[in-house]
Amino acid sequence: MKITNEFEVKSPIDVVWDAFQDVPTVAECLPGASISEDKGGNVYAGAVEVKLGPMSSKFEGEAKISPDQPTRSGHIEGKGVDRSGGSRGQVDVDYRLADAGGSTRVFVDADIKLTGAIAQFGRTGLVEEISKRLIDEFVYCLHAKLAAETPQEAAEIKAGEVKGFSLFLAGLTSWIGKFFKRLFKRGGE
Amino acid sequence: MTTTADQSPHLHTPPEIGGVGHSVRRHEDDRFIQGAGNYVDDVELPGMLHMAILRSPVAHAKILSIDTSEAAAVDGVVAVVTGELMAEHNLAWMPTLSGDTQAVLATDKVRFQGQEVAAVVATDPYVARDALGLIFVDYEELPAITSPQQSLAEGAVLIRDDKEDQTDNLAYEWESGDKAVTDQAFAEAAKIVTLETHYPRSHPSPLETCGAVADVNPASGQVTIYMTSQAPHAHRTVFALVAGLPEQNIRIISPDIGGGFGNKVPVYPGYVIATAASLLIGKPVKWVESRTENLISTGFARDYHMKGELALNNEGRILGLRTEIWSDQGAFFADAQPTKFKAGLFHIVTGSYDYPAAHVVARGAYTNKAPGGVAYRCSFRVTEASYMIERLVQNAAYEIGMDPAEFRALNFIKPEQFPYHSPTGFVYDSGDYEGAMRKALGIVDYESLRKEQVTARAEGRLLGIGMASFTEVVGAGNSQEYDILGLKMFDSAELRVHPTGKAILKLGVKSQGQGHETTFAQIVAEELGIPAGDIKVLEGDTDNTPYGLGTYASRSTPVAGAATAIISRTLREKARKIAAHLLEASAADLDWEPGKFFVKGSPDQSVTIQDVAFAAYTNPPPEEEPGLEGVHYYDPPNMTYPFGTYVVVVEVDAETGEWKVDRMIAVDDCGVRINPMIVDGQIMGGLTEGFAAATNQFITFDDDGNCIGSSFMDYLVPTAWETPRFELDETVTPSPHHPIGAKGVGESATVGSPAAYVNAVIDALAHLGVRNIDMPLLPDRVWSAIQDAEGG
């Protein structure tokens, strides 16, 4: 599953770049993510917890981050196994920062490969919706952190409680919303 | 051998006896509607343990290691079973009902998502399930193959590297008919009509999932297995062969079964693991699947990629048929097939039509998907065959500019041609195809509808009239041609009349909801005059019923029903001798009417069947063996060939691609109807399943082999809300070789209806040039077909 996303952060490119190098901070902005160990060499052990309706998955594994300072871009490779739920996940992310006149545009290309129970929700497109919601939440949190006036304030900002039923509902609402948009668009033609 | 079409059933028995033709209320429903059925999951035995199965999350991977230590340490866990442990007992692999092998627990590789990798046995079902999360399996992933095209392509990864002689992914190649004659017919054709389509993978999805309670007594060696089995006797023999256990010590009990539809024919690894676990631990072990486990790992159906061609002459007569099939079998060829016929009875694809030439080639491919190909409510691939020919003839009619009904009428096998020898080797027993079609067309007022269609098109509305005039081949089957693993496909009935005139009938088949306890009692009532309500029907206990091959392929009525009628007649002849003894008359001088014998010409000198039964135990004739019981094993002389015509009227919304059924008319001819109410119920159920297939039901896989359709959120089962209203009618053409003229009806509607629904949608779009949309006809597919046709 390929997800392409683009968003703008209202901070200068160097500030955003530095924030991206602070892996624990980045993790704080990803709902359900946690870092358990810095293994050195830009390799981190940790977990990502996702709840999808009645299904809860905790992917435990490692991520390797390869930043490229001159081009303000980077590559993240992660993989995790959810043993109790019988799912596996693998993610390859390419990101790139671009100066946008005092703001920064961030381009993300993610290739997510899920296998097992979590990949079996097919037709409804819920997994795609939820991935997009996760990115929205990430951007929102990152904004807040970068806009914080003191480092202490920034440290207190974490990704919202997007776990559990709310995430499922958000995905569902967004999906239903699209359906109605399509419907009205058709009606209006 | 025809035909008594249009006649209401002639009843030989009064309602209080309730023989053939009476809509007797289902005896079994007393317990079902009170929630007092007894299913496998209801079985509780002292000291019983619970088993859960760890399944592969990936479709294709080498197993590098399995670490069970954490799971084994959990409080309440009694044992963790792996393939390695099973291999020590020579049980890591088992034979399948189609002569292949299947992994019980994976040792080398996993070959589909959902494959059994390990099992936990614990004192509590939740502990067992939770402990699965503590088993760590290290997989090295391999490319997943998810279609026959990929599987049979040059250089594809070998899926079955466990099999010594297997060098590619071909499971089998099979053909039927005469290629040379058929090629000649095509060379002489004025027109050739081609259809390529995919019959998607579907799942029988019975309400009750599969499961077993295995109880091995370590002292006596007695093995009792309660299991969801449509074929308990065949399964007992397989268990004896797989586990090397003495067959007299194995008792399979199939209690009430909550729907089977072919899903409960194969032997699943779970049954074997539970039995092995009980054997090793010495306590009863229960295993019951979850819904998702049932949907992702047990017997799929269909998944046929088909190409069909019809050769036509200038007058619209069919000269010949050619079909080529690529079957997606999944990782193991595990469905039951008659040994001789690798593609099941797909060669019935010539359908209801008369032409001399046909040739069928079928190739089965191994893929990284769950083992599939079970006969989902059909007689071994008859559904795919019926779908192919009925779609083809409809398209052929468009191509030569004939009305689809008149094209069928021109090409139908005529009533006087029966018994009809088909070009692929079947001998059709009886039929009046045009009679059934004309009746259906009359009900729907076909001529007016065609006029209305013209008007509707002028107004921009898309009205479609589709039909299917299907022929099935059911009731496998005669022992010369039909066997499974060498076991001939006969079936049996054992009847014992008690001293008070009540009776018990024991059968080798097994009801999963079809109403056997009622209909088989009615056959005895018809033949012996004992009220149907006085007859208990026992099935599904191998220690207490005669041997039989089970219930699937619409074979219960054609085979076990025939055995029941014959043993009833045999007992009636014995009863006649006892009656003669009681009436002090000669047996030849007695007349029979249902329920009593009387002296010819003296109706007042009579004895009832109940009097006779009592005498059989209290006052038998000196020259006769006491008692009134017997068993009959019935080897059918031929298959039976139910048929019918279904007509569907739809309206398609050109803007959205959505379509709705305005009318659905089903005229079925299943020969003599034993219980018309149950027959109607069977037909409505099948029409609903056909509707599901045509509208929205399929299981797909992504490129990594993830099974999309693992819950009822993605695999949609229609409710009463979506299901259209059905209008049912009948014609009656008895089977000439069946003792009561019945043909079997459990599957006709699933077999015949998908093509009727699809043909209706195609008919609505035919003027645009649309000739195919693959099932299910989701609105986006229909919409795209309209766009492509209009754009092109």
Side-chain angles (χ1 to χ4, degrees), chain B residues 739-753:
Chain B
I740 59 170
K743 288 189 169 189
V745 75
E747 304 170 334
S748 296
T750 335
V751 168
S753 68

mmCIF file of all heavy atoms in Angstrom, chain B residues 739-753:
data_model
loop_
_atom_site.group_PDB
_atom_site.id
_atom_site.type_symbol
_atom_site.label_atom_id
_atom_site.label_comp_id
_atom_site.label_asym_id
_atom_site.label_seq_id
_atom_site.Cartn_x
_atom_site.Cartn_y
_atom_site.Cartn_z
ATOM 1 N N PRO B 739 -36.299 -45.143 -7.506
ATOM 2 C CA PRO B 739 -37.486 -45.881 -7.053
ATOM 3 C C PRO B 739 -38.721 -45.002 -6.834
ATOM 4 O O PRO B 739 -39.838 -45.456 -7.052
ATOM 5 C CB PRO B 739 -37.035 -46.506 -5.727
ATOM 6 C CG PRO B 739 -35.557 -46.555 -5.793
ATOM 7 C CD PRO B 739 -35.112 -45.440 -6.690
ATOM 8 N N ILE B 740 -38.536 -43.757 -6.394
ATOM 9 C CA ILE B 740 -39.727 -42.918 -6.260
ATOM 10 C C ILE B 740 -39.725 -41.742 -7.246
ATOM 11 O O ILE B 740 -40.524 -40.819 -7.129
ATOM 12 C CB ILE B 740 -39.915 -42.402 -4.807
ATOM 13 C CG1 ILE B 740 -38.699 -41.590 -4.350
ATOM 14 C CG2 ILE B 740 -40.204 -43.547 -3.849
ATOM 15 C CD1 ILE B 740 -38.938 -40.864 -3.019
ATOM 16 N N GLY B 741 -38.812 -41.788 -8.194
ATOM 17 C CA GLY B 741 -38.816 -40.769 -9.257
ATOM 18 C C GLY B 741 -38.228 -39.434 -8.856
ATOM 19 O O GLY B 741 -38.341 -38.451 -9.583
ATOM 20 N N ALA B 742 -37.573 -39.368 -7.674
ATOM 21 C CA ALA B 742 -37.023 -38.096 -7.199
ATOM 22 C C ALA B 742 -35.640 -37.869 -7.783
ATOM 23 O O ALA B 742 -34.921 -38.816 -8.101
ATOM 24 C CB ALA B 742 -36.957 -38.088 -5.678
ATOM 25 N N LYS B 743 -35.256 -36.592 -7.909
ATOM 26 C CA LYS B 743 -33.955 -36.273 -8.510
ATOM 27 C C LYS B 743 -33.004 -35.546 -7.568
ATOM 28 O O LYS B 743 -31.821 -35.445 -7.858
ATOM 29 C CB LYS B 743 -34.171 -35.403 -9.746
ATOM 30 C CG LYS B 743 -34.776 -36.153 -10.931
ATOM 31 C CD LYS B 743 -34.759 -35.278 -12.181
ATOM 32 C CE LYS B 743 -35.105 -36.092 -13.421
ATOM 33 N NZ LYS B 743 -34.892 -35.316 -14.660
ATOM 34 N N GLY B 744 -33.496 -34.963 -6.497
ATOM 35 C CA GLY B 744 -32.614 -34.159 -5.633
ATOM 36 C C GLY B 744 -32.737 -32.692 -5.994
ATOM 37 O O GLY B 744 -32.810 -32.341 -7.167
ATOM 38 N N VAL B 745 -32.754 -31.832 -4.980
ATOM 39 C CA VAL B 745 -33.045 -30.418 -5.258
ATOM 40 C C VAL B 745 -32.212 -29.448 -4.426
ATOM 41 O O VAL B 745 -32.268 -28.249 -4.622
ATOM 42 C CB VAL B 745 -34.546 -30.130 -5.033
ATOM 43 C CG1 VAL B 745 -34.857 -30.062 -3.532
ATOM 44 C CG2 VAL B 745 -34.986 -28.842 -5.712
ATOM 45 N N GLY B 746 -31.392 -29.962 -3.528
ATOM 46 C CA GLY B 746 -30.714 -29.071 -2.582
ATOM 47 C C GLY B 746 -29.844 -28.008 -3.228
ATOM 48 O O GLY B 746 -29.518 -27.007 -2.597
ATOM 49 N N GLU B 747 -29.433 -28.221 -4.472
ATOM 50 C CA GLU B 747 -28.419 -27.346 -5.047
ATOM 51 C C GLU B 747 -28.838 -26.669 -6.336
ATOM 52 O O GLU B 747 -28.130 -25.791 -6.824
ATOM 53 C CB GLU B 747 -27.142 -28.171 -5.269
ATOM 54 C CG GLU B 747 -26.697 -28.825 -3.980
ATOM 55 C CD GLU B 747 -25.584 -29.841 -4.121
ATOM 56 O OE1 GLU B 747 -25.443 -30.437 -5.198
ATOM 57 O OE2 GLU B 747 -24.854 -30.043 -3.154
ATOM 58 N N SER B 748 -30.008 -27.054 -6.886
ATOM 59 C CA SER B 748 -30.407 -26.529 -8.204
ATOM 60 C C SER B 748 -30.302 -25.017 -8.280
ATOM 61 O O SER B 748 -29.790 -24.454 -9.248
ATOM 62 C CB SER B 748 -31.855 -26.919 -8.510
ATOM 63 O OG SER B 748 -31.985 -28.306 -8.610
ATOM 64 N N ALA B 749 -30.791 -24.347 -7.234
ATOM 65 C CA ALA B 749 -30.910 -22.895 -7.324
ATOM 66 C C ALA B 749 -29.559 -22.196 -7.218
ATOM 67 O O ALA B 749 -29.343 -21.158 -7.846
ATOM 68 C CB ALA B 749 -31.863 -22.390 -6.246
ATOM 69 N N THR B 750 -28.631 -22.748 -6.447
ATOM 70 C CA THR B 750 -27.284 -22.160 -6.399
ATOM 71 C C THR B 750 -26.593 -22.347 -7.737
ATOM 72 O O THR B 750 -25.808 -21.504 -8.159
ATOM 73 C CB THR B 750 -26.391 -22.888 -5.362
ATOM 74 O OG1 THR B 750 -27.199 -23.476 -4.390
ATOM 75 C CG2 THR B 750 -25.378 -21.959 -4.778
ATOM 76 N N VAL B 751 -26.867 -23.496 -8.364
ATOM 77 C CA VAL B 751 -26.241 -23.828 -9.639
ATOM 78 C C VAL B 751 -26.819 -22.964 -10.764
ATOM 79 O O VAL B 751 -26.088 -22.379 -11.562
ATOM 80 C CB VAL B 751 -26.452 -25.327 -9.961
ATOM 81 C CG1 VAL B 751 -26.082 -25.651 -11.396
ATOM 82 C CG2 VAL B 751 -25.653 -26.188 -8.989
ATOM 83 N N GLY B 752 -28.134 -22.882 -10.810
ATOM 84 C CA GLY B 752 -28.779 -22.253 -11.961
ATOM 85 C C GLY B 752 -28.900 -20.747 -11.900
ATOM 86 O O GLY B 752 -28.911 -20.077 -12.935
ATOM 87 N N SER B 753 -28.995 -20.188 -10.676
ATOM 88 C CA SER B 753 -29.394 -18.780 -10.620
ATOM 89 C C SER B 753 -28.304 -17.750 -10.925
ATOM 90 O O SER B 753 -28.627 -16.701 -11.470
ATOM 91 C CB SER B 753 -30.074 -18.476 -9.284
ATOM 92 O OG SER B 753 -29.165 -18.553 -8.210
#
